[in-house]
Amino acid sequence: MDTILEIFNNREIAIGVWGILAIAILLFTKPAHEFIKTALPILFCKKFVVFYVVFIGFLIAVIRLLKWINFWEISLLKDTIFWVVFVELPLFAKAIDKAKDNRFFYELFKKNIKVITLFEFLVDFWTFSLTAEIVLIPLSVVLSFLYALSTREKKHKPAKKFFNGLITLWGVIIVIYAIYNTISSPETFFNKDVLKSFILPIALLVLNMPVVYGLSLYNGYEQLFIRIKDGAKQKLRMKL
């Protein structure tokens, strides 16, 4: 348990506990079984396997480069895995669907490299006790769900105001808590390791952009080739 607490913060552990519990429950449902049967053959088809090889190979090259310049170290492994799972993989899905021109990548950089990113990092850095986080995570999810429901119809406007007020109040409490901890324990936040954790996602985004761009470009050509009705030889010439 001590090792887990050293690697993950309380919020990450709480999310992990609830995530594992939710997955365990879902695995016993019929829709989950049907989804797995349908999804597995697609996920491990030839084209996806090629993508996995390119993706993993490029990621390893990027990490080796960061290690070579004495930036990446084993303590950043958790942050790297989290970034791949929660940022890069969804980014690939977005790139396939929305990267119609270079503006997509411009907006992506603009969104990730701004002052509020530092503020978000500060808020996420400071967590409550593990017990509090385990209680607060599902409450936050339920509150967000109820707010989303209240925005669907005009007759729920009073409920929308109420839930919006609760979310705002909770946000203010988290911000005050983060600022208080930063002021009272500046050495915990302002150090080399924390700086690396903050810079890592930006560095990974920039360095992995060629493979994301390559995927969107490849997908664009694939969509074009599907429409070609000529014979195999003509199709191959067009592809070349």
Side-chain angles (χ1 to χ4, degrees), residues 50-145:
V50 172
F51 161 70
Y52 299 147
V53 171
V54 173
F55 165 69
I56 293 169
F58 199 89
L59 181 64
I60 290 170
V62 166
I63 292 171
R64 285 182 70 86
L65 172 65
L66 292 174
K67 195 173 181 180
W68 180 68
I69 62 173
N70 295 320
F71 178 85
W72 197 91
E73 50 196 34
I74 198 65
S75 61
L76 293 171
L77 180 61
K78 177 201 74 174
D79 298 303
T80 305
I81 294 170
F82 278 13
W83 184 85
V84 169
V85 174
F86 297 109
V87 178
E88 185 161 33
L89 292 179
L91 178 57
F92 275 118
K94 276 186 181 179
I96 290 173
D97 183 45
K98 296 182 180 179
K100 308 299 181 188
D101 53 47
N102 291 335
R103 183 159 186 82
F104 170 82
F105 297 96
Y106 169 75
E107 291 296 332
L108 184 66
F109 280 114
K110 189 178 172 183
K111 182 181 177 182
N112 284 273
I113 304 172
K114 54 186 179 181
V115 175
I116 197 164
T117 308
L118 174 60
F119 186 71
E120 289 169 353
F121 179 81
L122 173 68
V123 169
D124 289 335
F125 181 81
W126 298 105
T127 61
F128 298 99
S129 68
L130 182 56
T131 305
E133 290 289 349
I134 287 174
V135 173
L136 290 169
I137 292 298
L139 284 178
S140 300
V141 172
V142 170
L143 185 60
S144 300
F145 177 72

Side-chain angles (χ1 to χ4, degrees), residues 2 6 32 35 59 93 102 120-121 131 154 163 176 202-203 213 230:
D2 291 337
E6 284 177 12
F35 174 77
L59 181 64
N102 291 335
E120 289 169 353
F121 179 81
T131 305
K154 287 185 178 179
F163 290 123
I176 292 171
I202 299 170
Y213 182 81
D230 294 320

Side-chain angles (χ1 to χ4, degrees), residues 215-232:
L215 174 68
S216 65
L217 191 65
Y218 174 78
N219 179 67
Y221 277 112
E222 279 292 298
Q223 296 298 321
L224 179 64
F225 296 148
I226 288 169
R227 300 189 186 100
I228 297 173
K229 304 296 182 183
D230 294 320

